[in-house]
Amino acid sequence: MGRSAAANAEQREAMRGRLLDAGLELFAARGVDGVSVGAIAAAAGCSKGLLYHYFPTKQALAEAVLRRWLAEVHELAAAAAAAAEGAPPTAALAAFARAMAGRVAANPNSYRLQLRALADPGFRSLAGELVGGSDGAPHPMASAFAAVGSEAPDLDGQFFQTALLGIFAHHVLSPRPTPIGDLVEHLIHLTLER
């Protein structure tokens, strides 16, 4: 007797997840151009043909890996905003910073992928397409800084984001990782608790 449709769907989803996980690990370490399809398939425990069944090109897999990472970041931001509903915007921003610190500490490769998206030519153009360009709108963190009386909320939002990204980069790239939670709490105290 054959497997049920639900069992087949579950098996397909599990294989897709293994391919995304293998892509994340290898792309984060070597970039898109530094990884072969064969290496990704081997890391996922499948053939190249099966990989191509799920993703027609290596670029399509890279896009799916980036989309999954961006979706995780958006989920963290939405959860932080929901948890801080009714509180000042600084509470949501602090909750998001804490959640991202936890995510980066638990899975450094996810942040390494983000660093690759900034530096690797193959990833940079793809990430730019997925994230979109600046449309002249204020920085998304500006409202939190306006709420604490910043004279330049857009600039302070950019500085906060840059500092947060720097903490994460140091954590994942340093041979002796820093206590990420402590540094994020210090940043929150210095910038949001005025």
Side-chain angles (χ1 to χ4, degrees):
M1 181 181 263
R3 287 188 307 227
S4 70
N8 285 335
E10 188 176 304
Q11 184 180 23
R12 282 191 303 275
E13 192 57 34
M15 175 50 68
R16 187 175 193 283
R18 287 201 316 266
L19 288 165
L20 290 170
D21 290 343
L24 169 64
E25 181 179 334
L26 293 171
F27 293 147
R30 298 185 238 163
V32 175
D33 294 335
V35 178
S36 70
V37 170
I40 298 166
C46 71
S47 67
K48 288 194 307 187
L50 186 58
L51 184 150
Y52 284 126
H53 174 74
Y54 285 88
F55 301 99
T57 64
K58 181 172 63 169
Q59 198 70 13
L61 174 60
E63 181 177 335
V65 168
L66 275 174
R67 283 185 187 280
R68 183 174 72 167
W69 164 244
L70 290 172
E72 290 171 5
V73 171
H74 289 289
E75 286 173 18
L76 289 175
E85 191 172 337
T90 54
L93 185 53
F96 174 70
R98 290 179 184 113
M100 279 297 296
R103 178 73 174 111
V104 169
N107 188 354
N109 275 338
S110 62
Y111 190 71
R112 285 186 185 99
L113 180 75
Q114 186 172 348
L115 292 174
R116 281 279 177 198
L118 294 172
D120 183 275
F123 252 143
R124 187 172 173 80
S125 62
L126 179 60
E129 291 171 22
L130 293 176
V131 173
S134 174
D135 57 3
H139 192 274
M141 298 177 184
S143 63
F145 287 95
V148 294
S150 169
E151 292 179 16
D154 194 60
L155 185 60
D156 283 343
Q158 291 175 35
F159 283 148
F160 182 85
Q161 181 179 13
T162 301
L164 196 59
L165 296 177
I167 290 169
F168 297 162
H170 186 271
H171 177 77
V172 301
L173 298 175
S174 174
R176 294 185 331 195
T178 55
I180 193 169
D182 293 345
L183 291 175
V184 168
E185 288 302 323
H186 188 66
L187 176 64
I188 289 168
H189 175 72
L190 289 175
T191 58
L192 297 176
E193 298 171 354
R194 297 180 185 189

